[in-house]
Amino acid sequence: MLDDGYSLIYTNCQEYFREAGKTQQILIVTRDFLGTLGTLATGVIAVAHASKGATAIAALITATGYSVTDNISREFLFASDNIDSVRELTLTKMTDFYNRIPAGPMTYDSVTRNLTDIQNYCSLRKIAALVKDAIGAAANSGAGAGRPPPPPPPLSLHLRG
């Protein structure tokens, strides 16, 4: 039960990161589209000799929209340049926890507690804490990520009773 539950949680966590990457891509495309379209609209209004107010409003809407989407994109936990590193960190820590669970007979209660603890690794709060810890450790050691993501777990890593 523990092995099957772990494999399911691992797969769901990978899917979570895939979806977060899609959301990040949508934010980036929206920001870039808004910036381009807004700049074009402001230019057209100015060339058409519309009022200064209309030109200013178009420029303000463009700048505000671009700024909002840029801030959301920048502050998003899964920025496009770090989502792979965050996924690698999370899945590695989750796998390390799983591998430290002693083999042998387990009760239903202990299996469900362990699976809940494993699943917690893919929560936003835990991911943010892992990232914060990794940044602190890297800042203290001067090291960076650079390892490829861990391979998916086999269906049964070892037999448990």
Side-chain angles (χ1 to χ4, degrees), residues 1-145:
M1 182 174 151
L2 181 66
D3 293 335
D4 291 340
Y6 168 72
S7 293
L8 180 62
I9 292 168
Y10 189 98
T11 301
N12 284 339
C13 195
Q14 283 185 319
E15 178 66 16
Y16 176 73
F17 279 98
R18 191 177 70 73
E19 289 300 317
K22 283 183 180 179
T23 301
Q24 181 68 15
Q25 287 175 336
I26 290 168
L27 280 171
I28 291 169
V29 168
T30 301
R31 180 195 64 199
D32 293 345
F33 179 74
L34 186 61
T36 302
L37 187 62
T39 303
L40 178 64
T42 303
V44 168
I45 291 170
V47 168
H49 300 293
S51 69
K52 289 181 183 180
T55 305
I57 289 171
L60 180 62
I61 290 171
T62 300
T64 302
Y66 187 88
S67 180
V68 166
T69 55
D70 189 50
N71 286 339
I72 292 170
S73 177
R74 195 171 346 114
E75 298 301 324
F76 197 59
L77 177 61
F78 308 113
S80 59
D81 59 342
N82 74 358
I83 191 164
D84 290 333
S85 297
V86 173
R87 179 179 56 84
E88 172 191 341
L89 172 69
T90 303
L91 294 176
T92 298
K93 293 292 185 180
M94 185 170 43
T95 300
D96 290 346
F97 179 87
Y98 171 75
N99 287 333
R100 287 193 312 270
I101 298 171
M106 298 179 84
T107 64
Y108 177 81
D109 184 55
S110 64
V111 169
T112 55
R113 272 188 278 125
N114 279 304
L115 289 175
T116 300
D117 290 342
I118 291 168
Q119 187 171 1
N120 183 49
Y121 276 88
C122 210
S123 69
L124 276 178
R125 182 175 295 190
K126 183 69 170 184
I127 293 168
L130 290 172
V131 169
K132 183 179 176 184
D133 291 346
I135 290 170
N140 292 334
S141 70

